[in-house]
Amino acid sequence: MRPMIAFAVLAALPTLAFTNLAFAQAAPKGTAPVPAAEIKQMFAGKTYNFTEKGHKGEKEPISWYLAADGRMLGYTGNGPSHAEGTWSTADGKLCVSDQWTGAWGTNHSNECQLWARDAAKPTVLYRAEPSKGGKWAKFTPKLSGGDTITPKIEALKVKLQKG
């Protein structure tokens, strides 16, 4: 019987670790992680526009196209640069693994945004970007239907080839 108890505890560790790590940044009181399926439904097949803290501390506009099949394309005019990679979800997380390319070279990144929902007001969402030093804040994602960034990426690739 004891091996079964040990197995059950070990099986629960990833969930406990996620809960403790993801929400260790003091998620707003009365929130819970947004379920992975809801995050996927919210973003799949859409372009997600947001700003994040850049390398020099400035706000940097970013666009991600998150294809329903898990492919990710990224673009930022600040640089400018573009990315290709993949995206995935877990309860309370939207994660990307990508390779960014610009005139400065290439850079690989893995990052996750944390998502929570107000339990009393389910339409109120909160987001945090721990890899960027971000704190939890109310956040409404700016989404566009379909891929709105490929033309920008293609133009940037031509520009980068010309040097």
Side-chain angles (χ1 to χ4, degrees):
M1 204 56 145
R2 286 188 182 171
M4 290 301 283
I5 293 171
F7 178 75
V9 169
L10 287 175
L13 283 177
T15 303
L16 293 172
F18 166 75
T19 302
N20 291 336
L21 290 175
F23 288 87
Q25 293 190 350
K29 195 172 191 168
T31 64
V34 176
E38 288 183 34
I39 294 172
K40 187 170 185 175
Q41 181 181 13
M42 187 179 349
F43 291 100
K46 296 178 182 132
T47 299
Y48 169 36
N49 302 293
F50 60 99
T51 58
E52 66 181 27
K53 190 175 181 181
H55 293 97
K56 297 176 184 173
E58 75 287 2
K59 289 202 174 211
E60 186 173 316
I62 306 276
S63 295
W64 290 346
Y65 169 63
L66 303 171
D69 66 2
R71 289 178 303 109
M72 174 270 189
L73 298 173
Y75 177 82
T76 179
N78 189 9
S81 60
H82 65 90
E84 293 183 30
T86 59
W87 71 286
S88 62
T89 62
D91 288 347
K93 286 185 176 184
L94 168 62
C95 299
V96 296
S97 176
D98 51 33
Q99 179 82 26
W100 283 90
T101 303
W104 41 265
T106 61
N107 182 38
H108 181 78
S109 72
N110 289 306
E111 61 183 271
C112 294
Q113 294 181 349
L114 305 179
W115 288 86
R117 169 179 285 125
D118 189 308
K121 298 177 186 173
T123 59
V124 177
L125 297 173
Y126 292 84
R127 182 188 78 157
E129 290 186 281
S131 67
K132 306 293 182 193
K135 297 182 180 177
W136 286 100
K138 282 185 183 180
F139 191 82
T140 301
K142 294 176 186 145
L143 301 167
S144 305
D147 175 1
T148 64
I149 62 173
T150 290
K152 293 177 184 178
I153 291 171
E154 294 305 318
L156 178 56
K157 285 179 180 180
V158 168
K159 183 178 176 183
L160 291 173
Q161 286 176 350
K162 290 179 181 178

